[in-house]
Amino acid sequence: YKRQERQYAVAIDGPSGAGKSTLARAAAEALHILYVDTGAIYRTIGVYMYRHDIAPTDAPAVTASLPEITVALRYDEEGLQRMYLNGEDVTKEIRLPMISKYASDVSAIPEVRAFLMELQRSLAREHSVIMDGRDIGTVVLPDAEVKTRARRRFLELEQRGTPKPFDEVLRDMEQRDYNDTHRAAAPLRPADDAIMIDNTDMDFAASLELLLDGIRGRVAS
């Protein structure tokens, strides 16, 4: 990544399936800045709980295990984010289907969010970044120069080759959205100063250009 004349942070949030990660990754590449997938960080915590047979909804047990966990984020030669759990590369394991539920549950625990907050903020202090997640603009990077909120639900079933029926996947997404908007710790909501990106009727190229226009406009001002 080449150094920018001005360092800045972009926070992208929105509900499940809104295309946050796809757009954020492409925008980071176009702007030559660092992309941070914050969901992968919570998935890494989920992997630890899964491996140690700790129920992700058992807040006291999860919290008690945090001192035993070291989470690191690195980038490979292609610039792709890789996640490390206590020194072990778990990039593939965090994408296993059962880890999604673990990640969602542990992310609702305030102590877990506080535990990972400094890791995310330190990345923004050291680099120009685009971070996507569900509370990036309101909690993790409230002072980010640019905040955007994605609305569109991307239908990625065919691309991912998921064996789940569409209706089942849609129900899972809606349940995650409900849980995230009603949780006590950092509930999902748009930042007051967020740019709304409504790309319901746009293809990917137009969606990306809309996002880049918003970022460039805020950074320039």
Side-chain angles (χ1 to χ4, degrees), residues 190-201:
D192 294 335
D193 55 348
I195 303 170
M196 298 298 292
I197 302 295
D198 187 355
N199 56 348
T200 304
D201 299 318

Side-chain angles (χ1 to χ4, degrees), residues 38-50 56-57 94-109 112-113 116 176 180 183:
T38 61
I41 300 174
Y42 285 96
R43 284 175 174 269
T44 302
I45 298 292
V47 167
Y48 183 92
M49 303 307 157
Y50 176 76
T57 54
I94 65 172
R95 298 303 173 187
L96 295 176
M98 75 284 288
I99 300 302
S100 294
K101 179 66 164 56
Y102 274 74
S104 179
D105 287 341
V106 299
S107 71
I109 300 173
V112 173
R113 305 194 75 84
L116 295 175
R176 287 179 63 192
D180 286 346
R183 69 190 180 201

Side-chain angles (χ1 to χ4, degrees), residues 5 21 35 54 56 66 76 79-80 121 168 185-186 195 202:
E5 293 182 2
S21 298
Y35 164 65
I54 299 173
L66 293 178
D76 61 22
L80 299 177
R121 287 178 173 172
E168 181 181 345
I195 303 170
M202 296 181 179

Side-chain angles (χ1 to χ4, degrees), residues 3-76:
R3 182 177 296 276
Q4 305 295 302
E5 293 182 2
R6 175 190 173 192
Q7 187 169 305
Y8 59 92
V10 180
I12 300 181
D13 68 19
S16 176
K20 301 183 298 296
S21 298
T22 307
L23 280 172
R25 190 179 294 109
E29 182 176 351
L31 296 167
H32 304 289
I33 64 177
L34 209 59
Y35 164 65
V36 180
D37 176 2
T38 61
I41 300 174
Y42 285 96
R43 284 175 174 269
T44 302
I45 298 292
V47 167
Y48 183 92
M49 303 307 157
Y50 176 76
R51 287 180 173 183
H52 290 79
D53 199 26
I54 299 173
T57 54
D58 187 344
V62 171
T63 301
S65 70
L66 293 178
E68 304 169 1
I69 300 174
T70 299
V71 176
L73 185 157
R74 303 171 191 166
Y75 292 85
D76 61 22

Side-chain angles (χ1 to χ4, degrees), residues 13 134-135 138 149 180-181 186-192:
D13 68 19
R134 298 190 174 201
D135 65 348
T138 55
R149 182 166 178 80
D180 286 346
T181 54
L188 174 66
R189 67 177 180 83
D192 294 335

Side-chain angles (χ1 to χ4, degrees), residues 73-103:
L73 185 157
R74 303 171 191 166
Y75 292 85
D76 61 22
E77 295 178 352
E78 297 180 354
L80 299 177
Q81 177 177 306
R82 305 198 69 82
M83 296 306 306
Y84 288 79
L85 172 61
N86 293 340
E88 177 189 352
D89 188 338
V90 293
T91 304
K92 291 184 178 180
E93 188 173 354
I94 65 172
R95 298 303 173 187
L96 295 176
M98 75 284 288
I99 300 302
S100 294
K101 179 66 164 56
Y102 274 74

Side-chain angles (χ1 to χ4, degrees), residues 84-214:
Y84 288 79
L85 172 61
N86 293 340
E88 177 189 352
D89 188 338
V90 293
T91 304
K92 291 184 178 180
E93 188 173 354
I94 65 172
R95 298 303 173 187
L96 295 176
M98 75 284 288
I99 300 302
S100 294
K101 179 66 164 56
Y102 274 74
S104 179
D105 287 341
V106 299
S107 71
I109 300 173
E111 290 80 3
V112 173
R113 305 194 75 84
F115 177 74
L116 295 175
M117 189 78 72
E118 178 54 26
L119 171 62
Q120 297 171 81
R121 287 178 173 172
S122 66
L123 288 166
R125 285 196 299 266
E126 297 166 5
H127 310 274
S128 285
V129 299
I130 290 184
M131 288 192 184
D132 76 81
R134 298 190 174 201
D135 65 348
I136 303 303
T138 55
V139 178
V140 179
L141 299 178
D143 298 323
E145 286 79 359
V146 188
K147 300 175 187 177
T148 64
R149 182 166 178 80
R151 288 188 57 185
R152 179 181 179 184
R153 290 182 180 276
F154 282 93
L155 303 182
E156 300 175 316
L157 302 181
E158 292 184 1
Q159 293 179 2
R160 294 182 178 180
T162 175
K164 287 186 177 182
F166 172 75
D167 289 345
E168 181 181 345
V169 174
L170 181 59
R171 284 196 303 271
D172 289 346
M173 291 167 59
E174 291 174 340
Q175 184 61 51
R176 287 179 63 192
D177 290 346
Y178 179 86
N179 291 343
D180 286 346
T181 54
H182 289 77
R183 69 190 180 201
L188 174 66
R189 67 177 180 83
D192 294 335
D193 55 348
I195 303 170
M196 298 298 292
I197 302 295
D198 187 355
N199 56 348
T200 304
D201 299 318
M202 296 181 179
D203 61 16
F204 180 78
S207 300
L208 177 59
E209 193 57 37
L210 180 63
L211 174 60
L212 290 173
D213 285 346

